[in-house]
Amino acid sequence: VCIHRVRSCSSIRFIKSKYVCVFDKSALKFSHQQRLFRTSAVSCGQIVQFKLSDIGEGITEVTVKEWYIKEGDSVSQFDSICEVQSDKASVTITSRYDGVIRKLHYSIDDIAFVGKPLVDIEIDASKGVASEEDVVETPPMSHDEHTHQEIKGHKTLATPAVRRLAMENNIKLSEVVGTGKDNRILKEDILNYLAKQTGAILPPSPKAEIIPPLPKSETVPAAPKDKARKIPVPVSRPIVFSGKDKTEPVTGFQKAMVKTMSAALKIPHFGYCDEIDLTQLVQLREELKPLAESRGVKLSFMPFFIKAASLGLLQYPILNASLDENCQNVTYKASHNIGVAMDTGQGLIVPNVKNVQVCSVFDIASELNRLQSLGSAGQLGTSDLTGGTFTLSNIGTIGGTYAKPVILPPEVAIGALGKIQVLPRYNGKGEVVKAQIMNVSWSADHRIIDGATMARFSNLWKSYLENPASMLLDLK
């Protein structure tokens, strides 16, 4: 049959034939059974609705802060689509598919809901198959794709990126237990399965790669403007007196603070204060700063404070514990995930350094650099902001000598560090000398921690900082 011209109008096709064609009845019947005139035959791809997946921590809605793509843009797997912010963290959403953006379902500052469509993506049906819950228009599935989706009657849910990872490592998805929603197989499930098969031990948390600073003669090529990460720069704004009251909803990190502080009201706080002579530590840090900078890491006092606290928690594990809601059980945490309160343009956030008990001072400094960079840019992830077991707040970077810190549930202790001051003190010979003095204020949950325990912990922490060399005896 030679067809001269094909013209479509809605779902009806008009065919102008240059020649007369004769069809057999059986052939016509067979063509009808195969839906010869279906609309999807003309489409080169399928439209999938990329839904906002479960971020975890009970988060049901987020605020869209920035789009990295627009309608008509082409995206590949793992390309950044947008940045969303919950009341716990900022999360960058990446694409699961290769395709073209056809629709954005939200504008900037709109509230997006978990499980609802985020964008519509047109993908090439010949290159990948979207998950069943995302497909809007799906051509009939081939036999190979069908067997890949269902094995022994059990449907396997996984994104194309996860399937590709499994294929590269010769892993059958039917043998992997999915931990995602509706037993969806996640990337972490593949990695954990691979670790069990090979006997490899996965690291407790990703560490920032340490890159030594390049010589001045070397330059790094600039990243493309469309792919470069946008880091906000603080700008002084003129004060405008409008004369009108303004009402704004409590959102983002401020909303998280409301929840946390409301829960903290149930904790009977016990306070304890002391002063620390950091003269020797100040001298030691000045000696180590050039060495750390040569490795690409900025060394502050905070890594020493954190490591000294971890050494103290080994002796007083009750301070690294949590109490259940009914006050019937105390859980002693194996990991020292020490949080550091940070003041950012988006409000107070408390990321934590994971597994401090197995980290060196240099490891802690490197991780702090990473957290501070992400915190300043508003790009801290949920994993960075959750799981804390003990907290230090360095209020002295802004000002002030003493503070009354509020415990962050479910933790049971927190410390606030004042600014370092040069003050006169007496030495062992009774002579007045110049000393670097810092004040610390502790708050503890008085339901399970008594004053003597808090004082002994503080004395041990103080001894490590006043005699930094003594930490070498307990470092592991």
Side-chain angles (χ1 to χ4, degrees):
V1 179
C2 300
I3 299 175
H4 179 64
R5 184 180 304 165
V6 177
R7 180 164 56 92
S8 292
C9 179
S10 185
S11 61
I12 303 174
R13 310 246 174 100
F14 297 91
I15 303 176
K16 292 185 177 180
S17 300
K18 185 177 181 181
Y19 305 99
V20 177
C21 307
V22 179
F23 292 89
D24 191 347
K25 291 183 178 180
S26 61
L28 183 60
K29 182 179 180 181
F30 176 79
S31 298
H32 177 72
Q33 288 178 344
Q34 294 299 316
R35 296 179 64 189
L36 182 65
F37 297 102
R38 65 174 181 267
T39 338
S40 57
V42 175
S43 176
C44 61
Q46 63 184 16
I47 302 296
V48 300
Q49 287 185 333
F50 179 29
K51 298 178 181 179
L52 180 61
S53 58
D54 186 7
I55 300 176
E57 298 295 326
I59 297 172
T60 59
E61 61 182 41
V62 295
T63 303
V64 178
K65 302 303 294 183
E66 184 175 6
W67 286 105
Y68 298 118
I69 46 87
K70 61 182 181 296
E71 294 181 1
D73 284 356
S74 297
V75 294
S76 302
Q77 293 184 47
F78 307 111
D79 281 356
S80 297
I81 291 181
C82 66
E83 181 179 340
V84 299
Q85 184 183 72
S86 68
D87 58 353
K88 297 178 185 284
S90 293
V91 179
T92 299
I93 306 298
T94 58
S95 175
R96 297 188 214 162
Y97 312 109
D98 299 332
V100 179
I101 302 297
R102 291 306 180 196
K103 181 180 179 180
L104 306 181
H105 285 268
Y106 300 99
S107 301
I108 299 296
D109 292 331
D110 281 356
I111 301 297
F113 297 93
V114 171
K116 299 298 182 181
L118 195 62
V119 296
D120 288 354
I121 304 179
E122 180 180 345
I123 67 173
D124 189 346
S126 63
K127 292 185 178 180
V129 179
S131 62
E132 182 180 345
E133 66 179 18
D134 290 343
V135 175
V136 179
E137 299 176 9
T138 309
M141 188 180 295
S142 67
H143 175 71
D144 292 338
E145 293 168 343
H146 180 78
T147 56
H148 194 56
Q149 287 282 345
E150 296 187 13
I151 301 174
K152 296 181 180 179
H154 175 70
K155 184 177 293 184
T156 304
L157 297 178
T159 64
V162 172
R163 296 181 184 278
R164 184 174 62 182
L165 179 62
M167 187 183 304
E168 291 174 352
N169 292 278
N170 296 321
I171 297 175
K172 295 181 180 180
L173 291 177
S174 59
E175 299 177 356
V176 181
V177 178
T179 60
K181 185 178 181 181
D182 298 327
N183 297 323
R184 181 181 295 275
I185 297 176
L186 307 177
K187 179 181 178 182
E188 292 77 9
D189 300 329
I190 299 294
L191 296 178
N192 290 332
Y193 178 88
L194 185 62
K196 292 178 180 179
Q197 296 298 315
T198 60
I201 300 176
L202 299 179
S205 62
K207 296 293 181 182
E209 183 180 359
I210 301 169
I211 304 176
L214 297 174
K216 294 182 179 180
S217 58
E218 299 183 20
T219 57
V220 179
K225 291 183 179 180
D226 57 338
K227 297 291 183 180
R229 178 73 68 181
K230 298 180 181 179
I231 300 178
V233 179
V235 179
S236 58
R237 300 179 180 178
I239 299 176
V240 179
F241 295 97
S242 60
K244 297 181 180 179
D245 296 342
K246 182 173 65 172
T247 302
E248 295 181 348
V250 178
T251 59
F253 296 138
Q254 190 178 18
K255 189 174 183 179
M257 186 186 300
V258 171
K259 294 180 181 178
T260 304
M261 293 299 102
S262 297
L265 286 174
K266 302 177 183 178
I267 301 175
H269 284 57
F270 164 76
Y272 178 83
C273 301
D274 201 357
E275 72 172 28
I276 321 293
D277 187 348
L278 299 180
T279 304
Q280 292 188 38
L281 182 61
V282 169
Q283 182 179 356
L284 176 63
R285 173 178 172 266
E286 289 299 322
E287 295 174 358
L288 296 178
K289 275 178 62 177
L291 179 60
E293 291 176 357
S294 67
R295 299 184 184 183
V297 173
K298 180 181 178 181
L299 182 63
S300 64
F301 290 104
M302 204 63 188
F304 296 97
F305 300 153
I306 292 174
K307 188 60 184 180
S310 178
L311 294 175
L313 293 177
L314 292 174
Q315 302 296 324
Y316 300 95
I318 187 62
L319 297 175
N320 195 61
S322 63
L323 186 65
D324 64 3
E325 293 183 0
N326 297 324
C327 301
Q328 299 296 319
N329 300 288
V330 178
T331 302
Y332 294 86
K333 304 292 185 178
S335 298
H336 296 172
N337 300 338
I338 299 182
V340 181
M342 293 182 181
D343 177 51
T344 69
Q346 298 174 326
L348 177 67
I349 57 177
V350 188
N352 58 82
V353 181
K354 301 288 195 297
N355 299 295
V356 176
Q357 75 279 2
V358 295
C359 294
S360 66
V361 172
F362 184 79
D363 292 336
I364 299 170
S366 176
E367 179 69 359
L368 276 179
N369 285 184
R370 184 186 72 86
L371 294 175
Q372 288 167 347
S373 298
L374 294 177
S376 300
Q379 297 167 1
L380 284 167
T382 305
S383 60
D384 296 322
L385 294 167
T386 57
T389 60
F390 186 88
T391 299
L392 291 176
S393 176
N394 192 6
I395 192 66
T397 56
I398 300 176
T401 307
Y402 294 96
K404 186 181 179 182
V406 180
I407 300 170
L408 304 177
E411 299 173 19
V412 295
I414 185 174
L417 313 175
K419 62 182 179 181
I420 300 176
Q421 306 176 86
V422 179
L423 299 173
R425 290 294 184 269
Y426 288 101
N427 62 13
K429 299 180 181 179
E431 301 169 342
V432 177
V433 296
K434 182 174 66 174
Q436 303 277 354
I437 302 298
M438 181 188 75
N439 296 98
V440 61
S441 305
W442 301 103
S443 289
D445 188 338
H446 213 353
R447 293 174 296 182
I448 59 173
I449 299 173
D450 54 45
T453 301
M454 190 73 253
R456 291 188 180 101
F457 168 82
S458 181
N459 289 338
L460 180 58
W461 180 77
K462 174 180 178 179
S463 67
Y464 283 133
L465 297 178
E466 292 189 339
N467 303 282
S470 65
M471 285 196 289
L472 295 176
L473 299 175
D474 295 322
L475 289 178
K476 298 179 180 180

